[in-house]
Amino acid sequence: MRLLVATAVPAERDAVAGAFPAPGARVPRPGIVLHRLPEGWDLLAAGVGPALAAASTAAALTAAALDGTPYNLVVSAGIGGGFAPHAPVGSLVVADAVTAADLGAETADGFLPVTDLGFGTVTHRPPAGLVAAVAAATGARPGTVLTGSTVTGTARRAALLRERHPNALAEAMEGFGVAEAAAAHGVPVLELRAVSNPVGPRDRAAWRIGEALAALTDAFGKLAPVLTSWNPHER
């Protein structure tokens, strides 16, 4: 199994790396730098936001394909906001749907996703069997993880998102971009988020970033045998 784990920032990448005893190696590729683990996993700090995450992930996927060592699975991982009360701070969420929260058009009758406009997609669905296995191994709750270019900072916005996406458990900024790049290469995607703060009014005093990063490390320690033994032909 060849796995690419894409995080937003180096702190998240290092939290994933912390689940493994052996140090990784720095592997430069055009436009990106990979952190290669002895287990055959590549970690990538892909950048913040869906656009940069998509571009960096696509660069890694293309480089691997040209090297003759394509990836079997791409994992978008990191911390994120959780919708209370279902995804409290410190908990884990595994996406059964990776959804762009606001890709579409505002109309007089409300918001229309691009799919209703007749083009594009707003949701990528990870393999159901893999989602179930990850949930069983880590205790993560399966549900929709939303991707947005703007982090929610008000109760009104949080309520609006839950109204549009009633199955949403978490919010982040990269998953959909990573999933778009993976889909373009025909590679399945998974998204795992450790909750660092509630989605809603912006209150930095309530953030628990260290706790969420520790939960991410713990999760990948449990995930390694699940992911390396997964059958990549499942879709």
Side-chain angles (χ1 to χ4, degrees):
M1 278 288 290
R2 290 270 292 137
L3 280 83
L4 174 66
V5 181
T7 68
V9 297
E12 294 166 318
R13 177 202 62 202
D14 295 345
V16 175
F20 301 89
R26 187 175 183 273
V27 180
R29 287 291 182 266
I32 57 169
V33 176
L34 299 170
H35 182 88
R36 180 158 293 166
L37 298 174
E39 288 77 6
W41 293 24
D42 284 345
L43 312 183
L44 172 66
V48 175
L52 183 53
S56 299
T57 302
L61 286 161
T62 300
L66 292 175
D67 288 344
T69 56
Y71 297 109
N72 305 110
L73 177 68
V74 177
V75 183
S76 176
I79 64 176
F83 286 94
H86 307 294
V89 171
S91 67
L92 294 169
V93 174
V94 58
D96 58 17
V98 180
T99 297
D102 51 8
L103 184 59
E106 293 285 355
T107 74
D109 298 320
F111 176 78
L112 290 178
V114 293
T115 48
D116 289 2
L117 299 174
F119 55 91
T121 185
V122 294
T123 294
H124 294 279
R125 295 195 178 275
L130 181 59
V131 171
V134 169
T138 65
R141 181 168 183 174
T144 299
V145 177
L146 301 179
T147 300
S149 296
T150 302
V151 173
T152 297
T154 66
R156 180 176 179 275
R157 173 68 174 171
L160 178 63
L161 288 176
R162 283 306 301 268
E163 181 181 347
R164 288 181 184 170
H165 309 282
N167 296 320
L169 292 183
E171 172 193 75
M173 300 178 74
E174 294 78 32
F176 186 77
V178 171
E180 286 276 82
H185 283 258
V187 180
V189 71
L190 182 73
E191 184 170 10
L192 181 70
R193 293 286 167 179
V195 177
S196 59
N197 57 277
V199 176
R202 189 172 175 82
D203 178 12
R204 294 203 62 167
W207 294 2
R208 297 293 181 266
I209 292 176
E211 182 180 337
L213 291 173
L216 196 63
T217 301
D218 181 67
F220 270 87
K222 298 171 181 176
L223 274 184
V226 174
L227 297 183
T228 53
S229 63
W230 177 66
N231 179 2
H233 296 293
E234 180 199 348
R235 293 289 189 272

